[in-house]
Amino acid sequence: MEECQLPLIDLSGLNSHDQKETNACAAAICRASSEWGFFQVVNHGISPELLSKMRREQELLFQTPFEIKATCGLLNNSYRWGSPTATCPKHFSWSEAFHIPLTKINEQACYGDFTSLRVVMTEFAAAMSKLAWLLARILVDNLSHQRDTVDNICHESTCFLRLNRYPVCPISAEIFGFVPHTDSDFLTILYQDQVGGLQLMKDSKWVAVKPNQDALIVNIGDLFQAWSNDIYKSVEHKVIANGKKERYSIAYFLCPSYDSLIGSCKEPSIYQKFTFREYRNQVQEDVKKNGHKIGLPRFLL
Ligand SMILES: C=C1C[C@]23C[C@@]1(O)CC[C@H]2[C@@]12CC[C@H](O)[C@@](C)(C(=O)O1)[C@H]2[C@@H]3C(=O)O
Ligand SMILES: O=C(O)CCC(=O)C(=O)O
Ligand SMILES: [Fe+2]
């Protein structure tokens, strides 16, 4: 498997007093979103201490017995494992996850005895949110010239964090940790450990992402692709299961409110206008019916 060096962007450029440096950094973000749909950021403003505290809390959470994770109302009853709709190995994900809306992150009732998890998750979600909005503003400003702003596209009410654990997989090497998919959001920020296993589609080939402990990974989601009229790319990615080591990751998903209408920032538009609610419902219906997501091609004009 070919290992790729994702575009690596040093976000300290955005704070430079030299406008040229700031513009060059913004341009690198937009170029990577269009050429790769994926990039890594360093000097992203989230401290290594917060990241390692979050990872520790994540490990403790997943070490909890299955019955507690699955039944005690933990994290808004958001525990999932495997793929409930899978009918064959290629639709199955060898992983477990908590999928928690930002609106619930600070709610005491979601945490039971996990009090330090609540404190750390709240701080982590706020830091990831700030970074996601910063990147989305740059990407929107690059194309919309004041017609649209991130604030009338994205909304905190629907953003969420997904805590993933990929257990050691003792069966076939053909099994996915996470099935190939694109994300149904505007933009995702991923904090992964050093185990590796994430692969993405580049020039019609799967390439493996080499973990970098100082970097967070950013990828464009379907809604940014639709809004940008295919300028930014929502790229297919997957996680390979590992027969020797478990793996952890956390993804932050930046989403619009359910009723906001996603239309293209340019004419002629490639896609029909749709609301995020319509998009989500269509994805869920397709997953139920076919075992996999169809996504944006459903909305082509
Ligand atoms: C089985 C699936 C769940 C998922 C849609 C999919 O077909 C494959 C990708 C999954 C994913 C990953 C990112 C987001 O968490 C998510 C909401 C999305 O858009 O794609 C989930 C979907 C889901 O959990 O419904
Ligand atoms: O764990 C990873 O590396 C990727 C997770 C992912 O793609 C997702 O949660 O949507
Ligand atoms: Fe994903």
Side-chain angles (χ1 to χ4, degrees):
M1 169 61 51
E2 200 183 316
E3 225 178 30
C4 71
Q5 183 60 257
L6 281 184
L8 182 70
I9 302 176
D10 181 350
L11 292 187
S12 61
L14 294 176
N15 302 321
S16 167
H17 296 299
D18 180 352
Q19 190 62 39
K20 266 199 207 137
E21 216 177 297
T22 314
N23 292 345
C25 185
I29 292 168
C30 300
R31 197 180 324 116
S33 301
S34 155
E35 288 173 8
W36 285 77
F38 261 85
F39 53 96
Q40 317 174 69
V41 291
V42 290
N43 294 315
H44 41 64
I46 306 184
S47 74
E49 293 75 27
L50 176 56
L51 293 173
S52 57
K53 265 196 297 184
M54 186 63 236
R55 177 56 30 80
R56 182 75 197 120
E57 292 291 341
Q58 182 183 14
E59 286 166 2
L60 289 173
L61 175 68
F62 279 109
Q63 277 163 23
T64 309
F66 174 79
E67 293 68 32
I68 296 182
K69 289 187 283 198
T71 60
C72 292
L74 199 52
L75 298 190
N76 197 42
N77 272 318
S78 63
Y79 180 66
R80 306 142 177 232
W81 67 99
S83 313
T85 52
T87 51
C88 60
K90 79 174 200 286
H91 294 155
F92 186 79
S93 296
W94 189 270
S95 51
E96 54 178 343
F98 287 92
H99 202 139
I100 173 160
L102 283 205
T103 47
K104 303 277 180 187
I105 291 266
N106 202 16
E107 261 185 32
Q108 213 139 13
C110 287
Y111 291 87
D113 293 337
F114 289 85
T115 41
S116 54
L117 173 64
R118 172 166 162 257
V119 176
V120 176
M121 273 255 283
T122 305
E123 199 188 336
F124 179 79
M128 292 287 263
S129 238
K130 191 172 161 206
L131 179 59
W133 283 71
L134 171 75
L135 296 169
R137 281 196 181 104
I138 290 169
L139 288 161
V140 167
D141 290 351
N142 177 49
L143 295 181
S144 80
H145 311 294
Q146 312 303 332
R147 271 205 306 129
D148 251 328
T149 64
V150 175
D151 306 71
N152 51 38
I153 304 175
C154 299
H155 205 268
E156 235 205 338
S157 62
T158 48
C159 298
F160 61 94
L161 275 182
R162 186 181 166 107
L163 277 53
N164 296 306
R165 175 177 173 263
Y166 301 90
V168 169
C169 180
I171 51 173
S172 161
E174 305 295 298
I175 296 277
F176 296 118
F178 203 138
V179 292
H181 67 280
T182 57
D183 292 347
S184 306
D185 62 348
F186 264 95
L187 174 152
T188 309
I189 305 180
L190 184 80
Y191 166 45
Q192 64 161 342
D193 65 16
Q194 298 306 297
V195 172
L198 175 62
Q199 299 185 354
L200 61 94
M201 230 350 144
K202 175 73 179 141
D203 303 327
S204 311
K205 274 199 293 210
W206 286 111
V207 290
V209 175
K210 189 173 187 273
N212 172 343
Q213 63 170 4
D214 300 321
L216 295 171
I217 293 173
V218 181
N219 67 282
I220 297 296
D222 300 341
L223 306 182
F224 233 150
Q225 174 165 330
W227 176 84
S228 69
N229 221 17
D230 277 2
I231 292 179
Y232 303 139
K233 306 290 185 324
S234 178
V235 164
E236 209 178 9
H237 53 286
K238 64 181 179 183
V239 177
I240 293 304
N242 189 315
K244 294 202 174 83
K245 281 185 181 167
E246 65 174 353
R247 173 175 184 267
Y248 288 93
S249 73
I250 305 180
Y252 174 96
F253 296 87
L254 180 69
C255 298
S257 61
Y258 287 127
D259 294 313
S260 61
L261 202 57
I262 312 300
S264 157
C265 70
K266 283 197 188 326
E267 293 295 342
S269 173
I270 299 173
Y271 302 100
Q272 302 162 34
K273 283 192 169 63
F274 53 82
T275 64
F276 181 40
R277 191 186 306 281
E278 285 165 338
Y279 194 73
R280 247 182 53 121
N281 289 345
Q282 187 65 60
V283 168
Q284 280 169 5
E285 198 183 306
D286 289 337
V287 171
K288 232 187 241 162
K289 233 194 248 161
N290 313 312
H292 62 94
K293 168 178 168 178
I294 295 173
L296 273 186
R298 274 249 181 254
F299 293 85
L300 281 169
L301 271 171

